Amino acid sequence: MIMNLLEARRHDAAQTGPTVSAAEERLVSRLDAATAVFVTTAPRLSAIGLRMLGDVGEAEDVVQETWLRWARADRSMVISPPAFLAMTTTRLAINVTQSARRRRETCAGPWLPETADRGVSPETAAERHEAVEAAVRLLLENLTPAERAAYLLRKAFDYPYRRISEILHLGADHTRQLVRRAHEHIATGRRQPVNAAAHRRMVRTFLAAAQTGDLAELEALLAADVSARSTTATRG
């Protein structure tokens, strides 16, 4: 569908000849470049959607919506397009899952918010910031630092378990167990106290990663939290 739309745009441009403006030519060129990046990453995005939703049709819908978001995004601000696209696909898939949960009256509210958009109104930006704050609080309340780190890196950014184990200095089998436990703890809705400073720091770091696709700071923060928890437990 994506390629068909672009081919139709090129065909229209060819038919109109010299009446095509330079601005329209630049738009087609930018869309061509965006498409090349997207097509390269699409198999990974499809795998993310299918793994999270378990339905081919729903996964395809999520990937298509990811393309629409990518086409409209300010791509000049994106440092890592694959990470940006994976995060967007994951967020959309989680929104689908959360919508189903709301219909079953079991759980409400997406935990991965909209990617930052420079063109939104102050009111919309404030709403999105509140959504991030609520989502991060949910993770802090329900998951240990290790569970939170493994779950975010695996589910939100499609990190291989081997890479997660390197970042967190844990065994690959252990990281798999952490992701499974995170699923269970989110579902059961356990609650633990949340440190206000830690909450603000995680919100800021997550928003930065969502806007740029640069995950280095988020990786460092998650790893530091895991290390700090491990050190405290050892001393205790």
Side-chain angles (χ1 to χ4, degrees), residues 48 51-52 90 150-158 179 183:
I48 292 172
R51 184 174 65 247
M52 297 187 66
T90 300
Y151 187 80
L152 274 176
L153 293 175
R154 179 62 180 173
K155 294 300 183 180
F157 302 105
D158 197 34
V179 173
H183 274 295

Side-chain angles (χ1 to χ4, degrees), residues 44 48 51 83 86-87 90 111-112 139 143 145-170 175 178-179 182 206 209 215-224 226:
R44 178 187 177 196
I48 292 172
R51 184 174 65 247
M87 185 198 64
T90 300
W111 68 269
L112 275 182
L139 297 181
L143 306 179
E147 291 169 350
R148 183 166 60 249
Y151 187 80
L152 274 176
L153 293 175
R154 179 62 180 173
K155 294 300 183 180
F157 302 105
D158 197 34
Y159 275 48
Y161 284 110
R162 180 177 179 181
R163 176 58 181 152
I164 298 173
S165 67
E166 292 172 351
I167 294 171
L168 304 181
H169 303 292
L170 301 170
T175 61
L178 287 169
V179 173
F206 184 85
L215 308 181
E217 185 179 359
L218 181 61
E219 287 180 6
L221 176 60
L222 293 172
V226 173

Side-chain angles (χ1 to χ4, degrees), residues 165-198:
S165 67
E166 292 172 351
I167 294 171
L168 304 181
H169 303 292
L170 301 170
D173 289 341
H174 189 188
T175 61
R176 292 176 186 273
Q177 295 172 2
L178 287 169
V179 173
R180 287 196 295 269
R181 289 207 297 265
H183 274 295
E184 296 171 358
H185 292 159
I186 290 174
T188 56
R190 69 178 188 180
R191 292 290 185 269
Q192 54 191 2
V194 174
N195 179 277

Side-chain angles (χ1 to χ4, degrees), residues 1-10 31-32 34-36 38-40 64 67:
M1 180 180 294
I2 296 167
M3 297 305 296
N4 290 341
L5 290 173
L6 287 175
E7 288 299 332
R9 185 181 291 275
R10 293 194 197 98
L31 285 175
D32 283 346
T35 300
F38 185 85
V39 169
T40 300
Q64 182 64 29
W67 159 253

Side-chain angles (χ1 to χ4, degrees), residues 24-228:
E24 289 173 331
E25 291 179 351
R26 288 194 297 271
L27 174 60
V28 171
S29 178
R30 287 196 297 270
L31 285 175
D32 283 346
T35 300
V37 172
F38 185 85
V39 169
T40 300
T41 315
R44 178 187 177 196
L45 306 182
S46 297
I48 292 172
L50 186 58
R51 184 174 65 247
M52 297 187 66
L53 298 171
D55 183 274
V56 174
E58 288 186 343
E60 290 178 349
D61 289 343
V62 163
V63 172
Q64 182 64 29
E65 180 62 24
T66 298
W67 159 253
L68 297 176
R69 304 295 177 92
W70 176 240
R72 295 195 299 262
D74 181 1
R75 293 182 293 278
S76 65
M77 299 297 297
V78 177
I79 295 175
S80 173
F84 180 95
L85 290 168
M87 185 198 64
T88 301
T89 300
T90 300
R91 172 180 51 77
L92 292 171
I94 288 176
N95 285 349
V96 171
T97 301
Q98 293 289 349
S99 294
R101 289 178 180 176
R102 281 194 293 270
R103 288 194 296 271
R104 295 194 302 269
E105 297 182 352
T106 59
C107 183
W111 68 269
L112 275 182
E114 291 284 345
T115 304
D117 183 350
R118 288 175 172 267
V120 302
S121 67
E123 292 80 8
T124 300
E127 291 175 357
R128 291 182 179 178
H129 194 279
E130 290 177 0
V132 174
E133 290 183 335
V136 169
R137 180 173 294 279
L138 178 66
L139 297 181
L140 291 170
E141 287 177 338
N142 288 275
L143 306 179
T144 67
E147 291 169 350
R148 183 166 60 249
Y151 187 80
L152 274 176
L153 293 175
R154 179 62 180 173
K155 294 300 183 180
F157 302 105
D158 197 34
Y159 275 48
Y161 284 110
R162 180 177 179 181
R163 176 58 181 152
I164 298 173
S165 67
E166 292 172 351
I167 294 171
L168 304 181
H169 303 292
L170 301 170
D173 289 341
H174 189 188
T175 61
R176 292 176 186 273
Q177 295 172 2
L178 287 169
V179 173
R180 287 196 295 269
R181 289 207 297 265
H183 274 295
E184 296 171 358
H185 292 159
I186 290 174
T188 56
R190 69 178 188 180
R191 292 290 185 269
Q192 54 191 2
V194 174
N195 179 277
H199 180 242
R200 289 193 299 270
R201 184 169 64 251
M202 182 67 76
V203 169
R204 177 187 60 79
T205 306
F206 184 85
L207 283 172
Q211 181 175 4
T212 67
D214 183 358
L215 308 181
E217 185 179 359
L218 181 61
E219 287 180 6
L221 176 60
L222 293 172
D225 286 346
V226 173
S227 177

